[in-house]
Amino acid sequence: MRSLGFVALSTLALVSLSGVARAQSKDFEKGTFAISMERLSGFNHVKSSTTVNTPGGDVTTSTSADRFMLMGMEASSPADLPRVGLDYFIIDKLSLGGTLFIGYSSATTNLGGLGNANASATDILFAPRVGYAVMFNDTIGVWPRGGFSYFHRSIDPDNGPSDSAYYLALNLEAPFIFGLANGFAITAGPAVDVSLTGSATTHNANVSVDRDISYFSFGLFAGFLAWF
């Protein structure tokens, strides 16, 4: 699902908001509100597996992939979806918040004399988290965060089988903060995502096929941050 327009608009909003951000302090103080655009660019290694129950026993297939992405290129897993982050510092340095991604795409395939085949896909990612931000000086800091994410995808064609899938995952990340101006910074750092449970279902007429799915991801991601 392509998200370049989503990335461009969100980045522009952050740059605009940074113009009214308060002066940068050494630490993130109580009452600070942060808005971020995350996982826009970077490197990601993903290992995924799918298990299908058959009369002869469980059949598991595994795949692994390395991926470089730049500014909202099409994601290959929940881990490398770009997302908007909203966080509030309830006391000095300690934040509560989360990230959100909602995406929709549609495609039409010309089947010649058979007409057109249409299909749409919807992705939703929600990831609450807690973090602890520390500034080493006026321009460099680190913001370790941890939490959980829920991801759901549905694919609905006009004809043929439909698919749905979900993951519940543990997320750990430690982005470094590199200040560019008062209240505005680039973030870059490692992130680990581990699915705790996952399932996919293919519906075709009156028949449904269920699969257990899982993934492990390690990546180095970059984004933007504004705080007030």
Side-chain angles (χ1 to χ4, degrees):
M1 185 173 296
R2 300 197 177 277
S3 309
L4 188 55
F6 165 77
V7 170
L9 289 174
S10 300
T11 302
L12 179 61
L14 283 185
V15 173
S16 300
L17 288 171
S18 70
V20 296
R22 71 185 184 190
Q24 202 168 323
S25 62
K26 185 175 181 180
D27 295 304
F28 286 85
E29 301 173 346
K30 178 182 177 180
T32 299
F33 183 69
I35 303 176
S36 52
M37 235 347 261
E38 303 175 13
R39 306 199 185 190
L40 300 184
S41 303
F43 165 81
N44 192 33
H45 172 79
V46 180
K47 182 177 181 180
S48 59
S49 65
T50 301
T51 301
V52 180
N53 182 267
T54 68
D58 292 345
V59 176
T60 300
T61 58
S62 298
T63 60
S64 62
D66 296 321
R67 173 177 170 79
F68 292 91
M69 66 261 197
L70 178 64
M71 294 299 288
M73 292 172 61
E74 187 172 3
S76 60
S77 72
D80 55 15
L81 281 172
R83 58 203 68 186
V84 174
L86 301 173
D87 296 272
Y88 182 77
F89 286 80
I90 56 174
I91 61 174
D92 291 355
K93 304 180 182 180
L94 182 65
S95 65
L96 290 178
T99 60
L100 176 69
F101 174 86
I102 300 175
Y104 174 84
S105 65
S106 61
T108 299
T109 302
N110 191 317
L111 303 178
L114 298 178
N116 295 327
N118 302 307
S120 62
T122 303
D123 288 348
I124 299 174
L125 173 75
F126 173 65
R129 65 191 180 189
V130 61
Y132 191 82
V134 178
M135 296 299 292
F136 305 129
N137 53 46
D138 287 342
T139 56
I140 300 176
V142 66
W143 189 5
R145 302 182 294 230
F148 299 91
S149 63
Y150 175 79
F151 171 79
H152 183 270
R153 166 172 287 177
S154 60
I155 301 175
D156 299 305
D158 287 346
N159 298 295
S162 62
D163 286 278
S164 62
Y166 82 90
Y167 291 101
L168 178 65
L170 172 68
N171 313 113
L172 301 172
E173 55 189 354
F176 286 85
I177 300 168
F178 302 96
L180 298 178
N182 289 342
F184 184 69
I186 288 176
T187 59
V192 175
D193 299 79
V194 183
S195 63
L196 304 176
T197 184
S199 178
T201 303
T202 300
H203 305 276
N204 190 2
N206 296 322
V207 178
S208 295
V209 178
D210 297 320
R211 307 179 298 280
D212 294 326
I213 52 178
S214 63
Y215 76 95
F216 169 83
S217 167
F218 172 80
L220 297 171
F221 299 103
F224 298 102
L225 169 67
W227 65 97
F228 313 86

